């Protein structure tokens, strides 16, 4: 229960007036909804059945205002470090379709600096267990982690949304692969951190 409060608390001082926060609560007891109702900046709370991660992402996207162009998907067990959203919004190359912050473990080392997908289809976290200080500049990567993924809405629409054929895991690999096949660029923003 507490981790959901931590996520929303970490968002509170990073939001802009026009931002929208949508909570998809697909747990049968809808405990996340009870927590989210305590935060006045939460725009919408949707209580649904659990149709999987990708379905939740697509459901949340559909209820956003049309004016929202940048969509940031976050797992409920994440928290944003200071200035994370600012870093993810500023100075991003115009030709990047989607990008992510560095995803960090509890010990401060990297969980993912972009993901790697082998030709066999197996996937793993790039940069795992490395020191985040090794990553200085924005750089292109081939795959992103769905745990903290920012994407242009127009790109997500062109791609047909998150692929719902995956109930949990690999939807990020499938989406990244599709964006690669569309000739679009993906990247990481090392100055932005998510735990």
């Amino acid at each position: 229960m507490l981790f959901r409060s931590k996520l929303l608390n970490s968002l509170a001082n990073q939001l802009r007036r026009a931002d929208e926060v949508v909570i998809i609560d697909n747990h049968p007891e809808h405990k996340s909804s009870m927590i989210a109702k305590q935060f006045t900046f939460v725009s919408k709370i949707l209580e649904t059945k659990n149709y999987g991660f990708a379905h939740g992402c697509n459901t949340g996207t559909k209820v956003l205002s049309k004016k929202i162009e940048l969509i940031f998907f976050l797992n409920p067990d994440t928290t944003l470090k200071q200035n994370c959203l600012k870093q993810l919004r500023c100075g991003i190359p115009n030709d990047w379709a989607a990008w992510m912050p560095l995803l960090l473990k509890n010990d401060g080392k990297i969980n993912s600096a972009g993901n790697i997908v082998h030709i066999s289809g197996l996937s793993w976290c790039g940069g795992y267990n490395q020191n985040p200080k090794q990553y200085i500049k924005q750089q292109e990567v081939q795959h992103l982690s769905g745990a903290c993924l920012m994407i242009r809405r127009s790109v997500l629409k062109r791609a047909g949304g998150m692929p719902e054929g995956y109930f949990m895991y690999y939807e990020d690999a499938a989406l990244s692969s599709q964006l690669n096949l569309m000739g679009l660029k993906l990247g990481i923003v090392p100055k932005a951190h998510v735990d």
Side-chain angles (χ1 to χ4, degrees), residues 14-34:
Q14 299 194 41
L15 297 170
R16 294 179 180 172
R17 185 180 299 268
D19 289 345
E20 295 179 17
V21 176
V22 177
I23 305 294
I24 306 297
D25 184 352
N26 59 17
H27 189 278
E29 297 175 15
H30 300 302
K31 292 181 179 179
S32 293
S33 297
M34 290 183 261

Side-chain angles (χ1 to χ4, degrees), residues 10-112:
S10 73
L11 273 172
N13 295 324
Q14 299 194 41
L15 297 170
R16 294 179 180 172
R17 185 180 299 268
D19 289 345
E20 295 179 17
V21 176
V22 177
I23 305 294
I24 306 297
D25 184 352
N26 59 17
H27 189 278
E29 297 175 15
H30 300 302
K31 292 181 179 179
S32 293
S33 297
M34 290 183 261
I35 295 169
K37 288 174 184 173
Q38 300 170 27
F39 293 83
T40 57
F41 61 80
V42 173
S43 311
K44 293 183 176 99
I45 302 167
L46 302 177
E47 295 179 353
T48 70
K49 290 185 178 179
N50 190 356
Y51 297 110
F53 177 78
H55 183 273
C57 291
N58 291 334
T59 300
T61 299
K62 288 174 187 170
V63 300
L64 289 172
S65 302
K66 300 298 182 202
K67 64 184 178 183
I68 301 293
E69 175 55 19
L70 293 180
I71 299 172
F72 191 34
F73 296 115
L74 281 169
N75 280 3
D77 61 345
T78 58
T79 54
L80 283 69
K81 292 288 198 179
Q82 188 174 6
N83 293 320
C84 180
L85 286 181
K86 180 179 179 182
Q87 294 296 332
L88 291 173
R89 295 186 222 247
C90 300
I92 303 302
N94 290 332
D95 61 347
W96 280 14
W99 53 96
M100 66 175 280
L102 293 181
L103 181 60
L104 305 180
K105 303 185 304 167
N106 289 338
D107 64 5
K109 293 186 177 177
I110 291 178
N111 176 296
S112 177

Side-chain angles (χ1 to χ4, degrees), residues 95-99 114-119 123 139-145 149 151 155-156 158-159 170-188:
D95 61 347
W96 280 14
W99 53 96
N115 290 345
I116 298 165
V117 177
H118 187 266
I119 194 168
S123 175
Q139 61 189 49
E140 290 180 25
V141 295
Q142 287 200 317
H143 288 81
L144 301 173
S145 170
L149 164 69
I151 188 167
V155 169
L156 188 62
R158 278 177 55 204
Y170 277 90
E171 63 284 308
D172 50 3
L175 177 63
S176 295
S177 294
Q178 184 172 356
L179 297 177
N180 287 329
L181 290 170
M182 293 166 64
L184 301 174
K185 295 179 181 178
L186 312 176
I188 59 168

